[in-house]
Amino acid sequence: MSVRIKDYPGREVAIEELKERYVAKEYKAVLRYAWSSGVAIGSFLDGLKRGIILGRRCNKCRRILVPPRMYCEQCFRKTDSWVRVKDTGEVKTFSISYVNVDASRRREPIIVAVVELDGASKDVGILHILGEVKPEKVRIGMHVKAVWKKEEERKGAITDILYFKPR
Ligand SMILES: [Zn+2]
C-alpha cells in the first residue's frame, strides 16, 4: 500500500505545540508494514532467539562485524563466514536519557550504550541499554554481560537481550 502525501497535508509546527507535545497527541499512526531482515540480520535475530550472538568475518580486513553484514564496506567484498561472539563486552560510549521516544519525560533514566562485544572487532559495537547499574556508576570501558529473556519468551529480536549489566 502506498501512502499518498495528500492524505497527510503538512504544516509548520509552532514551538508552543512542541512544548505541549501537541504533535504527539494529535496523530495516532496505525501503520502496517513488513520488513525483510535479509540474510545477515535474519541470522543474527535467529541467533538471539537461541541465546547466541552471531557476527560475520571478513577474511581480507580480518574484522568481525556485529551486527553481521554480508558485505564488508571497507573491502568492497562479500564477508566470508559466521562467527559466534560472546555476550560479554565493554561499554564504548553511553548516554543517560530522561526522555522517552515520544518526548515524554522519564522519572527514572534509561542508559543507552554502545557495547563492543568480546570476539567482535574493536571498531564495531551494538546499541543496547544498561541495567542493574546506577547512572553515576557507568563508565566507558566498563565490562558488561547480557541479561537474556527466558528462552521461551524470546522472539528473535534485539529485545531478547533485556539489557547489559556490569560484571
Ligand atoms: Zn573487510
Side-chain angles (χ1 to χ4, degrees):
M1 185 186 98
S2 65
V3 176
R4 294 171 303 175
I5 202 73
K6 68 176 185 165
D7 293 340
Y8 302 96
R11 65 177 178 79
E12 193 169 328
V13 178
I15 291 297
E16 292 73 29
E17 291 175 322
L18 286 175
K19 286 179 182 169
E20 295 296 317
R21 297 179 49 230
Y22 177 77
V23 174
K25 282 193 276 188
E26 179 188 65
Y27 181 69
K28 282 195 170 186
V30 181
L31 302 173
R32 293 183 188 161
Y33 61 92
W35 176 65
S36 173
S37 58
V39 174
I41 296 301
S43 298
F44 176 69
L45 298 175
D46 286 344
L48 293 176
K49 192 171 184 177
R50 294 182 287 133
I52 63 171
I53 302 173
L54 292 172
R56 287 287 293 181
R57 181 196 316 272
C58 172
N59 287 344
K60 187 170 182 195
C61 64
R62 301 190 174 279
R63 291 186 311 147
I64 307 227
L65 309 172
V66 182
R69 297 189 284 278
M70 299 309 286
Y71 196 80
C72 178
E73 80 284 359
Q74 287 189 4
C75 302
F76 300 108
R77 62 187 291 278
K78 289 180 181 176
T79 52
D80 297 282
S81 56
W82 291 101
V83 180
R84 182 174 170 177
V85 300
K86 294 185 176 176
D87 70 349
T88 56
E90 184 181 317
V91 172
K92 299 309 286 185
T93 188
F94 65 94
S95 181
I96 299 167
S97 175
Y98 286 85
V99 180
N100 289 311
V101 291
D102 66 354
S104 61
R105 287 243 161 221
R106 297 181 62 89
R107 189 175 299 273
E108 296 297 322
I110 186 170
I111 308 167
V112 183
V114 173
V115 176
E116 184 182 275
L117 295 167
D118 295 329
S121 286
K122 290 295 173 197
D123 56 350
V124 297
I126 65 168
L127 187 66
H128 217 292
I129 58 173
L130 303 182
E132 297 184 44
V133 61
K134 293 187 177 188
E136 61 270 21
K137 296 287 185 188
V138 179
R139 296 286 180 269
I140 290 173
M142 191 170 80
H143 293 280
V144 292
K145 179 173 179 39
V147 175
W148 295 83
K149 277 184 181 169
K150 292 177 193 164
E151 190 172 351
E152 62 272 18
E153 294 174 2
R154 292 183 206 144
K155 296 177 178 173
I158 193 65
T159 49
D160 290 347
I161 297 173
L162 294 168
Y163 53 84
F164 284 81
K165 69 174 185 180
R167 62 182 171 111

